[in-house]
Amino acid sequence: MRPSGVKRLWTHPELPMPKDYCRMSYVLFRVDGDVGRVVAARLPDDRFLRVGDYVQDRLAFCGDALSYVTRRHDDAPPLFIRTDAGVGILSGRYHLSAGLGLYLHIHTRPSAAARLIHGGALGCDGDFAVSRELREQIGRPTARDGQTYPALLEAWRAVAAAPREVFSADSDGGISLGGLRSGIAKLASFVGCEVAFTVRKEQGARPVSPYARVKCYRPLLLEGILLCLLSEMRERSATGTVVCRLEPPSENREGVSLTLRYPLRTRERPGTAEVYEGVHRCLAVIGESGGLDLYASTRLLPPRDPQGLPEAAVTLDWLLDPSVLSSSDIKARLSLARVDGHRSESGREADATLVEEQLFGADLG
């Protein structure tokens, strides 16, 4: 384990945290090729684990944990495990949809948590599984374990009560711009960054309705990718804020389309930009298999505020319905659609016939 000061950050049950964090930190990592490579994280200290590391090595996953992350499933119950950082939960939420694994670290004392779980403090109805390594740390709960229980219960309730999908699309894959905004805001709240929303409209046109509908073909795929991108932006934004510009549906596009941009910090650890370029390439491949195009500009955009900082931007365009038969070669079609219809961010900004409209909470309900 790392020095005691770092250990305390990971295992203290009363560590002050914003209420939306649910007493948890998280790590997203690959499970479909280059297994365990971390692509996003929100952690109390990056000296223990960073984006680009292998989560199974840095946290010393046990055999049960390794078996869990390499299985192709997303319906197996969450697995409580013991790691070098303490106690956490492995979830298969994004395994099949996005090829990503999710580790949720609980900020509480690991030994006490193990006793409480074994003692039935969270119930024994099969809603979760417990690794063999954690089951071996059994014992009778003590009076001092009461300090651990609130954090453990809060974290588990957040997992157990999580909606099946943050983006609730209808049977045809449709979702309103208001629903899209609401889902992104929920993810940003959990990540810990602020998001301001705008929408693009034609010059002189009527305001865009929050009830306008776009296609969200794979809600969990979009959720997983956005969780990765918002986590990156929380770490790299100079102000801790992100602007999300939503695109209304048009005759040529009915899928979700949005751009995230943020002012980049002037100083970063050497190699950070290269690490995130690799993450973007990974997410682009993940999205492409579902018909979703991810474009991350490798050059910074000029600031909107003359006194501001240069901005980084990532654009998501859902170009194709992934339900197309595999024999139609969906990836080849996506590449052709990208070449034909995708413009660079600077080109989008230069379109004089379009303007942005600020979206306030009341507008999108």
Side-chain angles (χ1 to χ4, degrees), residues 239-320:
T239 60
T241 60
V242 178
V243 173
C244 176
R245 186 185 65 215
L246 304 176
E247 304 281 350
S250 67
E251 293 182 0
N252 300 321
R253 186 196 63 253
E254 62 177 4
V256 168
S257 182
L258 59 89
T259 297
L260 301 167
R261 52 186 294 166
Y262 62 97
L264 188 66
R265 288 179 178 175
T266 55
R267 293 184 180 181
E268 292 188 314
R269 182 182 291 111
T272 297
E274 291 75 13
V275 168
Y276 280 108
E277 286 175 10
V279 170
H280 295 157
R281 288 192 295 270
C282 170
L283 296 180
V285 171
I286 291 171
E288 188 173 38
S289 65
L292 179 64
D293 180 39
L294 184 150
Y295 172 73
S297 177
T298 56
R299 65 180 183 85
L300 297 180
L301 303 175
R304 300 185 181 189
D305 181 351
Q307 305 301 318
L309 295 170
E311 297 184 336
V314 179
T315 297
L316 297 177
D317 277 328
W318 218 315
L319 300 177
L320 295 172

Side-chain angles (χ1 to χ4, degrees), residues 7-143:
K7 181 177 180 180
R8 183 177 181 274
L9 291 175
W10 289 76
T11 60
H12 198 290
E14 298 172 355
L15 184 72
M17 298 184 75
K19 63 178 183 179
D20 292 318
Y21 289 9
C22 303
R23 312 300 309 174
M24 293 186 298
S25 293
Y26 63 81
V27 179
L28 284 155
F29 54 92
R30 297 184 61 182
V31 297
D32 189 8
D34 203 15
V35 174
R37 179 79 72 176
V38 176
V39 296
R42 186 197 71 215
L43 304 171
D45 188 283
D46 68 357
R47 288 174 291 176
F48 199 78
L49 181 69
R50 297 175 182 170
V51 172
D53 289 343
Y54 286 100
V55 65
Q56 68 271 31
D57 294 339
R58 300 294 290 174
L59 298 185
F61 276 5
C62 63
D64 287 350
L66 292 174
S67 297
Y68 190 94
V69 303
T70 55
R71 290 169 54 193
R72 294 295 301 179
H73 62 81
D74 60 2
D75 57 355
L79 177 69
F80 280 91
I81 64 171
R82 175 70 187 264
T83 75
D84 276 0
V87 167
I89 305 171
L90 280 173
S91 169
R93 183 177 181 87
Y94 307 118
H95 275 210
L96 291 180
S97 59
L100 297 174
L102 176 63
Y103 170 71
L104 299 158
H105 179 82
I106 305 174
H107 292 272
T108 197
R109 295 187 177 91
S111 297
R115 289 191 292 268
L116 290 169
I117 293 169
H118 180 74
L122 302 181
C124 304
D125 57 1
D127 289 339
F128 59 84
V130 182
S131 70
R132 182 181 300 104
E133 185 180 54
L134 195 60
R135 288 198 304 268
E136 291 173 351
Q137 299 179 352
I138 61 176
R140 295 178 62 85
T142 66

